[in-house]
Amino acid sequence: MAPTTPVETPVLFVLHGARGDLAERMVYPGLAQLATRGLLPERWSLIGTGRKPIGDDELADLVRSSLEEHGEPGHAGALDGHVSYATTFTEDEPGELVAAIHDARRALAGDDDHDVTVVHYLAVPPSAFAPTTRALRAHGMAEGVRVVYEKPYSTSPESFEELDALVHEVLDEDQVFRIDHFLGKEATQNLHVLRFGNELFGGVWNRRHVAQVQVDVPETLDVADRADFYDETGAALDMLVTHLFQIAAEVAMEPPAALDADHLATAREAVIGCFRPLDPAEVVLGQFDGYRDIDGIADDSTTDTFVAARLWVDNDRWRGVPFLLRTGKRMAVSAQRVTLVLKTPDELFGEPAGPGRISLSLAGDGAIDITTTVKQPGPDLRLATGTASLGLDDVEPGDPLAPYASLLHDVLVGDRTLFTTPHGLEAAWRAFAPLLGADRPEPEPYEPGSWGPARADDLAGPDGWVLTRS
């Protein structure tokens, strides 16, 4: 649920990678939404940092332009007067950042010596996580701070173990926030309410009634504006082991011991431990035509911009039910949808029966669609398929925050419920590991604006992908 109370303690927000695509598209709009809702304290500051030396005014202009393009209407000036810039530190060099943080903390504490909540947000590639963590330790800046690590949290099981060990040398676990903004979506949290608050749906949430589950996140976006980051990760690392695994766990988890946020998080992470390691033969990777022509991308790059995978959950509830996960860049549409494809009879009254589906859109405010077989209006007993839809923006009263704004607020108040833990990530990496070995499929070419490589259609079986049909 969207928070309704502001943060009282002064806040210093240090944004590493302040000039990057993620900062512009997600972090600045999230902070602007908190500011305009009155959910930031009276005293707060943002220090943007990076390698390139620029002035405070240049960063302020960048923030304004990013809010004009990606923020809500009227938010362009929401962060004015709170933004400054300092060149970043390394383990060996303090840059401008160390002094800037000390000065900002003193100013925010004021004469009454307030405590100051210091947040380091690492909107940088995974390769920069460890150096930045070491720099925090080297300059005595780790005590009492909160550190937000973007996804993907490392790029392999081995690098995950190394990073996690380092992070716990420098920080306590309650200081660490591993962000996955899909968990902050209002519509994602509605998965719990739909299932556990309505026996109509909860009663069919198992292998006896569900033929397959589809978690489908196609994107029309290109990667040209963040080519360096993307070529280091690719679709499978950027999305599959992070967002799509987490959403699959939201669907697959067992009923928690209690319907509160802490128990929901425990149940979500427990079921990830039931994910069977992916079979590379059940994974299709793709690369859109023209990817290698983007500035900064090698002519022989094998980075995947598309992934479709069949995941199996080895527990009594879901054994034998395929979870079909798909995402990619430069695809036919942009969507974020979870669909339970229900088992239905082939015929009813001699007529072919239509599909049965429970589907949730996770995009925007979200929507719930129920597709079922109905009688076709008219004198004859003919069958048809009907869909009932409920747009969650129609539910009143409600004033949701965007996922990044909601999760940023959670960081400021110290609520780690919707953030991933080492236990869940270790299990996710174990399930993902086969894609990092010698059997990793070669990316297959696909046309921009298409649904990806044709072979991905085979994963869904004869009924195909729901989104492709619609």
Side-chain angles (χ1 to χ4, degrees):
M1 296 179 61
T4 57
T5 56
V7 179
E8 299 295 340
T9 305
V11 167
L12 174 58
F13 196 90
V14 183
L15 180 56
H16 301 259
R19 298 172 60 251
D21 179 68
L22 177 67
E24 293 188 35
R25 288 188 302 109
M26 298 294 187
V27 181
Y28 296 135
L31 286 171
Q33 194 173 49
L34 293 182
T36 55
R37 295 279 187 93
L39 295 173
L40 291 179
E42 182 178 346
R43 285 188 279 190
W44 72 274
S45 294
L46 183 152
I47 300 176
T49 186
R51 292 190 298 270
K52 181 180 179 180
I54 65 172
D56 294 348
D57 290 344
E58 187 173 343
L59 179 62
D61 290 342
L62 182 147
V63 171
R64 266 189 158 270
S65 64
S66 72
L67 292 177
E68 288 171 356
E69 182 175 358
H70 304 292
E72 294 184 6
H75 282 193
L79 307 185
D80 285 358
H82 296 273
V83 176
S84 61
Y85 185 86
T87 54
T88 194
F89 52 27
T90 66
E91 192 172 3
D92 300 321
E93 296 291 337
E96 299 172 346
L97 184 58
V98 172
I101 290 174
H102 285 311
D103 291 346
R105 290 189 73 156
R106 283 197 298 269
L108 289 168
D111 295 337
D112 45 3
D113 199 26
H114 269 287
D115 289 335
V116 177
T117 298
V118 180
V119 176
H120 287 265
Y121 194 111
L122 276 58
V124 293
S127 58
F129 290 170
T132 305
T133 304
R134 293 191 190 98
L136 285 170
R137 175 175 59 189
H139 298 291
M141 308 195 74
E143 184 176 354
V145 303
R146 296 169 186 169
V147 183
V148 182
Y149 293 88
E150 259 293 341
K151 56 89 182 169
Y153 190 71
S154 296
T155 55
S156 70
E158 295 77 20
S159 63
F160 162 74
E161 291 176 3
E162 293 173 4
L163 176 61
D164 201 53
L166 171 64
V167 166
H168 286 105
E169 288 176 11
V170 177
L171 304 163
D172 294 331
E173 175 62 18
D174 61 5
Q175 295 177 264
V176 181
F177 295 77
R178 304 169 192 85
I179 198 166
D180 189 320
H181 76 271
F182 270 51
L183 296 182
K185 287 177 170 287
E186 291 277 344
T188 301
Q189 296 171 60
N190 246 300
L191 279 166
H192 314 141
V193 178
L194 179 72
R195 176 181 174 188
F196 300 126
N198 300 278
E199 183 59 25
L200 173 66
F201 303 113
V204 302
W205 218 271
N206 55 63
R207 61 189 174 94
R208 292 188 300 277
H209 302 285
V210 177
Q212 62 179 223
V213 177
Q214 297 187 10
V215 180
D216 209 356
V217 187
E219 297 181 274
T220 58
L221 289 173
D222 202 343
V223 300
D225 53 359
R226 56 179 190 138
D228 290 344
F229 164 80
Y230 199 85
D231 205 50
E232 185 179 312
T233 53
L237 283 170
D238 186 37
M239 293 288 289
L240 182 63
V241 74
T242 55
H243 296 330
L244 302 193
F245 271 16
Q246 292 295 330
I247 295 302
E250 289 281 318
V251 176
M253 68 183 179
E254 287 299 296
L259 293 179
D260 57 42
D262 289 339
H263 287 90
L264 286 167
T266 299
R268 180 182 68 241
E269 304 240 319
V271 80
I272 297 177
C274 298
F275 286 6
R276 186 190 306 174
L278 294 171
D279 180 351
E282 296 185 306
V283 177
V284 176
L285 300 180
Q287 185 185 92
F288 66 77
D289 292 335
Y291 175 76
R292 296 176 182 178
D293 298 330
I294 296 172
D295 288 343
I297 303 298
D299 292 341
D300 59 352
S301 173
T302 60
T303 297
D304 49 288
T305 64
F306 171 97
V307 60
R310 188 185 290 142
L311 172 72
W312 302 95
V313 182
D314 287 334
N315 63 15
D316 289 341
R317 180 178 296 275
W318 296 110
R319 189 167 288 108
V321 177
F323 279 61
L324 304 172
L325 316 179
R326 181 175 68 170
T327 188
K329 301 294 187 184
R330 299 293 305 275
M331 293 186 67
V333 300
S334 287
Q336 299 169 4
R337 186 164 287 275
V338 175
T339 303
L340 279 69
V341 180
L342 303 177
K343 296 179 179 179
T344 54
D346 293 332
E347 288 189 357
L348 188 64
F349 304 117
E351 290 271 314
R357 298 192 291 261
I358 302 170
S359 188
L360 287 90
S361 171
L362 307 184
D365 293 318
I368 299 171
D369 299 319
I370 310 300
T371 300
T372 188
T373 300
V374 295
K375 179 187 177 296
Q376 190 179 87
D380 299 324
L381 184 53
R382 305 295 299 273
L383 302 183
T385 299
T387 299
S389 298
L390 171 64
L392 298 180
D393 55 351
D394 292 334
V395 179
E396 297 290 347
D399 193 17
L401 288 175
Y404 263 86
S406 180
L407 291 173
L408 286 172
H409 187 272
D410 286 349
V411 172
L412 298 182
V413 300
D415 183 350
R416 299 174 65 250
T417 299
L418 295 178
F419 296 84
T420 56
T421 70
H423 175 74
L425 288 171
E426 181 182 16
W429 279 115
R430 187 166 57 247
F432 184 82
L435 286 192
L436 298 170
D439 293 333
R440 175 183 182 264
E442 286 294 318
E444 302 176 22
Y446 65 96
E447 286 292 324
S450 72
W451 284 102
R455 199 166 63 85
D457 294 342
D458 297 338
L459 291 177
D463 290 334
W465 295 91
V466 170
L467 278 179
T468 307
R469 287 199 305 271
S470 58

